[in-house]
């Protein structure tokens, strides 16, 4: 059978995601790379107790306002799952600005949501360790800070390091520019961001892309995420958000 | 002497285990011959640890020259690109292996133990630090499935399927399936199960040439070739 | 009250420290203003931790729209591409930081200690797990040089250059140079050295507003602006 | 000053490499990616006591024969430095086939050369740890094998791992397809191989390329090795080896 990873609807693409799943979602800076329609499908489905592994613990409404997008209040990113109370744990690089009316802060302080606030480098290196099959890595960031808590510290060659454990997930939802039907992905500009690392770190990766091409439609050297890391591809309708 | 399967036929048999859509690594030697036996209705993405996924058949000298030697496999053989192929670097390739993303590796073997230990990277006669480990240990330790294809015995007649490997180990407990020139043997938690014999061979004759003990499958059958 | 430098002037002063050919990260706020003060005869490659190296000035809304919001910096501001710019992913970006490949980061600060400890990611009033660490700890701990640009005191008048940081730490012993609205102070193994004062300020007045003790450089001079 | 990393000769490009330097060299499979002219310059210079960090401990003459190249015996790769007795230590993924008249084997058994034979994954992960500023990583390959020797073993989540230490070098010599004058690199086909990882892991990277272009001559998304990792670029004369 010719392999074809293209799925015809967003609801079908996320059909296997159930209550209690762990999910990495790309997106943080700018409108590119956010798998908006997959997130909307997940909100429609209403699954609960999700573990959300994302850059931030909030919806980037202020960024959307900055861009001057009409309807910035309706900005869609991973934050909609927190806002909709579908998340029971957040693992992120940036949690929230205390006191700035954060929905996550309220849920966290009410005991509704568990929070792991990692900082950016540790967030990324843990996903990388998960993607690359490592048992753990010693990294130098966070010495003398709150990140030391509960972590093994070790001096190697005269420098201090913290042991970080691998982070994987049941699913990754990533936004990309183009896919072929084998799941090979290319990204546009800084829309690349977390796509490559999350696609590698999750067991099942679902990509929302602007364009689907036949195998051969992407030059072999230009492929950023090889199809081995991608299980499903779904095409976004043109220009939902602008 | 009874007739044994030739290398092409062993490759044919193990190739039949490869499932549609799998990402598969083929080792040097007999494993590499599997490419000749993938039916048209199956898509297998071949992986080379030097940074290729989904490549085509070997290129001859003229074809390679026309391509400027642009794509070679891990054995340094030039290959043809096919639509949907991806190129990357060694770091990405070994993330794929170590991260458990490769569905299957087909490797040659010097010895396989009753527990599925594999020895395939160096003969034990040499005692120094040398040899060529290469990617063998990574592939054997980390791919989702490890299939070994090899002659059932050494040229001297010495069994290669043994109680304990005496040759330098490649990886412990990694082998899932052994295809030889006289049998197909599956490795399970309970040990080795003889599932198929080559035409003309019976279970007792296979056991005779095997140091480790074989459990005979209730569904033992003759290989279809 | 004596006149202090405004934000643009602080940025001008710290920007003068950036050397031709450096790969430089600029934090949010005053550090980001440095882009306005790079002379034409200097090439500085600006790094954004979301995966950009060698980008140009901020794009306005129309420019960003025409580019399809293709390039944004770590603060989510659209930027213009310039020839020779490279795009990559977060993993590569943090390898660059952690691997010590970035020549310099210019960061804002809440507190800097006499030993060069930096606190800049969260006010201490909040006791929970929240805040936005982001890449601050990585940049401060791993870039080859860390320059801090900040007002010399809090709005209340409380010194920000202190004996020991009381705010949550970003990184220990990381700061090389502090540029404030009244002084330029270098951090060495012996402590803090006052190298420059803003026009109209003398060393004793700067020390007055500084909790940590300052050694006055024998070459103390007035900032050239 | 406009930054320009292009150097006009191979001898100038390697001028800073002295006795006792550690050097990573790309190349192993096929003719692409081998920095031949930099290696020839290093042989001319005659520096000694080099630590060579390369895929193999041999010159790929047999591969060259296989390709049918004329003068396969004169095949140039990192092996020429071993053959010329300029190397006192080899760190590699594949050392040599014992008994096959290997020059490294003779030098090693005569005590002339020290040898670290790592296997491929550990070889690469150690360079990666060096490139990424890690103190060490726990990786799962080599359990129960000779690779366990002298390494810390640790059980994490029920699986055994070995601790690998970072590997860096004073210099990397890499072969690439194109560079711009800022040192951004792109590679052709499987010539990519070790270039990206070695360029990141070494303190000074010198790239030999087939073509040099102005900044802007490479699309931002197409760049594989960003110029931050590359200190010098030198253009190869057309087609020395075919």
């Amino acid at each position: 059978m010719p392999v074809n990873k293209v799925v015809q609807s967003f609801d079908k693409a996320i059909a296997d995601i159930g209550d209690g799943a762990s999910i990495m979602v790309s997106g943080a800076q700018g409108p590119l790379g956010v798998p908006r329609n997959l997130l909307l499908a997940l909100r429609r489905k209403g699954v609960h107790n999700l573990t959300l592994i994302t850059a931030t613990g909030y919806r980037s409404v202020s960024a959307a306002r900055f861009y001057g997008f009409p309807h910035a209040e309706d900005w869609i990113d991973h934050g909609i799952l927190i806002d909709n109370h579908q998340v029971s744990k957040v693992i992120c690089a940036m949690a929230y600005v205390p006191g700035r009316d954060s929905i996550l802060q309220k849920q966290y302080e009410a005991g509704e949501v568990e929070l792991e606030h990692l900082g950016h480098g540790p967030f990324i290196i843990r996903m990388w360790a998960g993607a690359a099959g490592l048992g753990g890595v010693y990294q130098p960031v966070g010495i003398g800070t709150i990140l030391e808590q509960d972590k093994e510290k070790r001096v190697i060659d005269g420098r201090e390091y913290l042991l970080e454990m691998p982070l994987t997930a049941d699913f990754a939802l990533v936004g990309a520019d183009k896919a072929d039907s084998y799941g090979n992905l290319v990204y546009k500009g800084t829309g690349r961001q977390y796509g490559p690392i999350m696609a590698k770190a999750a067991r099942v990766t679902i990509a929302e892309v602007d364009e689907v091409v036949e195998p051969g439609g992407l030059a072999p050297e230009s492929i950023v995420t090889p199809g081995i890391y991608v299980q499903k591809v779904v095409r976004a309708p043109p220009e939902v958000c602008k | 002497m009874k007739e044994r399967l030739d290398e092409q036929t062993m490759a044919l048999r193990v190739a039949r285990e490869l499932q549609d859509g799998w990402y598969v690594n083929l080792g040097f030697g007999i494993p590499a011959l599997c490419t000749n036996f993938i039916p048209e209705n199956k898509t297998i993405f071949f992986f080379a640890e030097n940074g290729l996924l989904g490549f085509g058949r070997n290129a001859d000298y003229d074809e390679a020259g026309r391509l400027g030697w642009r794509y070679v496999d891990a054995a340094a053989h030039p290959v043809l690109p096919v639509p949907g192929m991806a190129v990357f670097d060694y770091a990405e390739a070994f993330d794929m292996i170590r991260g458990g993303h490769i569905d299957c590796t087909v490797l040659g073997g010097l010895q396989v133990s009753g527990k599925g230990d594999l020895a395939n990277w160096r003969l034990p006669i040499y005692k120094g630090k040398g040899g060529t480990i290469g990617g063998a240990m990574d592939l054997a330790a980390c791919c989702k499935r490890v299939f070994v294809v090899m002659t059932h015995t050494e040229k001297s007649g010495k069994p290669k399927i043994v109680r304990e490997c005496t040759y330098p180990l490649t990886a412990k407990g990694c082998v899932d399936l052994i295809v030889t020139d006289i049998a197909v043997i599956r490795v399970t938690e309970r040990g080795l199960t003889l599932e198929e014999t080559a035409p003309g061979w019976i279970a007792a004759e296979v056991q005779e040439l095997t140091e480790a003990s074989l459990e005979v499958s209730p569904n033992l059958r003759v290989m279809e070739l």
Side-chain angles (χ1 to χ4, degrees), chain A, chain B:
Chain A
M1 287 279 291
V3 167
N4 188 351
K5 298 184 179 177
V6 181
V7 178
Q8 291 309 321
S9 84
F10 294 99
D11 296 300
K12 266 189 205 157
I14 58 114
D16 295 338
I17 304 183
D19 287 352
S22 56
I23 307 178
M24 294 172 172
V25 186
S26 69
Q29 270 76 25
L32 297 183
V34 182
R36 282 183 200 78
N37 294 285
L38 289 171
L39 287 163
L40 289 169
L42 210 51
R43 184 166 71 179
R44 271 197 302 280
K45 193 175 182 195
V47 287
H48 284 89
N49 287 319
L50 299 175
T51 293
L52 192 62
I53 301 166
T54 48
T56 68
Y58 43 82
R59 201 154 58 88
S60 291
V61 173
S62 60
R65 273 199 211 105
F66 173 85
Y67 303 140
F69 283 119
H71 314 299
E73 297 302 326
D74 300 329
W75 181 258
I76 304 298
D77 63 21
H78 58 269
I80 65 170
L81 301 176
I82 299 172
D83 295 1
N84 199 35
H85 299 270
Q86 293 178 257
V87 176
S88 60
K89 181 171 182 177
V90 172
I91 302 175
C92 65
M94 294 167 273
Y96 51 80
V97 182
R100 213 188 267 179
D101 204 28
S102 152
I103 292 172
L104 176 60
Q105 181 176 6
K106 281 179 199 149
Q107 294 181 6
Y108 165 61
E109 290 177 352
E112 186 187 333
V113 170
E114 195 183 336
L115 175 60
E116 279 190 51
H117 181 202
L118 302 181
H120 224 140
F123 177 68
I124 288 161
I125 202 77
R126 287 188 56 189
M127 288 195 285
W128 187 82
L134 299 175
V137 304
Y138 288 104
Q139 64 82 22
V141 175
I143 299 294
T145 78
I146 60 157
L147 292 190
E148 278 196 16
Q149 284 165 23
D150 306 321
K151 280 186 194 159
E152 177 186 316
K153 201 199 288 192
R154 179 164 175 166
V155 177
I156 300 172
D157 250 346
R159 191 175 177 189
E160 290 179 300
Y161 295 89
L162 301 176
L163 180 62
E164 302 285 346
M165 306 311 276
L167 185 58
T168 59
D170 299 324
F171 297 91
L173 309 183
V174 306
D177 180 30
K178 290 183 194 172
D180 67 19
S181 49
Y182 290 169
N184 292 305
L185 303 181
V186 297
Y187 304 85
K188 191 186 280 180
T190 43
R192 194 179 301 190
Q193 29 131 326
Y194 300 99
I197 184 66
M198 289 180 169
K200 282 173 74 166
R203 280 173 286 280
V204 174
T205 293
I206 309 168
E208 172 172 341
V209 300
D210 287 337
E211 192 181 343
V212 174
V213 300
E214 291 296 303
L218 306 174
E221 280 92 343
S222 75
I223 290 165
V224 174
T225 294
I228 192 170
Y229 298 130
V230 178
Q231 282 64 47
K232 289 177 188 173
V233 168
V234 58
R235 194 169 64 79
E239 296 300 292
V240 182
C241 286
K242 285 174 209 165
Chain B
M1 285 246 294
K2 289 210 171 194
E3 200 178 353
R4 294 176 172 216
L5 306 185
D6 62 13
E7 295 190 343
Q8 293 284 349
T9 312
M10 281 191 269
L12 175 152
R13 178 60 194 84
V14 75
R16 206 176 287 149
E17 297 292 316
L18 306 178
Q19 301 300 309
D20 203 20
W22 274 10
Y23 294 87
V24 172
N25 172 259
L26 300 178
F28 310 153
I30 308 175
L33 301 175
C34 287
T35 53
N36 299 327
F37 303 103
I38 307 300
E40 293 237 331
N41 62 0
K42 248 189 214 173
T43 304
I44 304 289
F45 299 103
F46 289 110
F47 165 87
E49 68 215 56
N50 58 320
L52 270 187
L53 197 60
F55 56 94
R57 69 163 172 81
N58 281 353
D60 63 32
Y61 185 77
D62 289 341
E63 289 169 329
R66 277 196 297 277
L67 284 165
W69 304 88
R70 190 169 189 129
Y71 307 112
V72 301
D73 67 16
H77 296 171
V79 297
L80 296 180
V82 294
M85 183 176 80
V87 177
F88 35 91
D89 75 344
Y90 264 106
E92 183 73 56
F94 277 82
D95 284 358
M96 280 183 197
I97 298 172
R98 201 187 314 98
H101 303 283
I102 310 287
D103 291 300
C104 177
T105 183
V106 184
L107 295 172
L110 295 172
Q111 289 184 326
V112 177
S113 83
K115 286 172 245 161
D117 296 350
L118 172 65
N120 82 342
W121 73 274
R122 199 182 67 191
L123 291 167
I125 35 167
Y126 178 74
K127 298 294 180 200
K129 262 190 189 173
T132 54
I133 301 174
M137 290 188 184
D138 302 87
L139 290 159
C142 299
C143 290
K144 287 182 194 161
R145 301 166 188 85
V146 177
F147 299 164
V148 170
V149 56
M150 62 180 187
T151 56
H152 205 87
T153 54
E154 295 184 9
K155 277 179 194 153
S156 66
K158 206 173 142 193
K160 293 169 77 169
I161 301 173
V162 293
R163 274 188 289 274
E164 291 287 345
C165 294
T166 55
Y167 292 8
L169 224 55
T170 303
K172 284 199 301 183
C174 61
V175 178
D176 296 289
L177 189 77
I178 313 167
V179 173
T180 75
D181 47 3
I182 63 173
V184 175
I185 295 166
R186 195 165 297 277
V187 187
T188 70
E189 284 172 15
R190 296 166 48 199
L192 305 179
T193 305
L194 178 65
E195 294 195 335
E196 300 180 22
T197 55
W201 290 76
I202 61 168
E205 293 163 336
V206 173
Q207 178 67 74
E208 186 82 2
L209 297 175
T210 309
E211 185 193 289
S213 52
L214 302 173
E215 180 178 27
V216 178
S217 164
N219 304 316
L220 179 71
R221 59 195 182 280
V222 175
M223 282 188 217
E224 282 178 42
L225 300 170

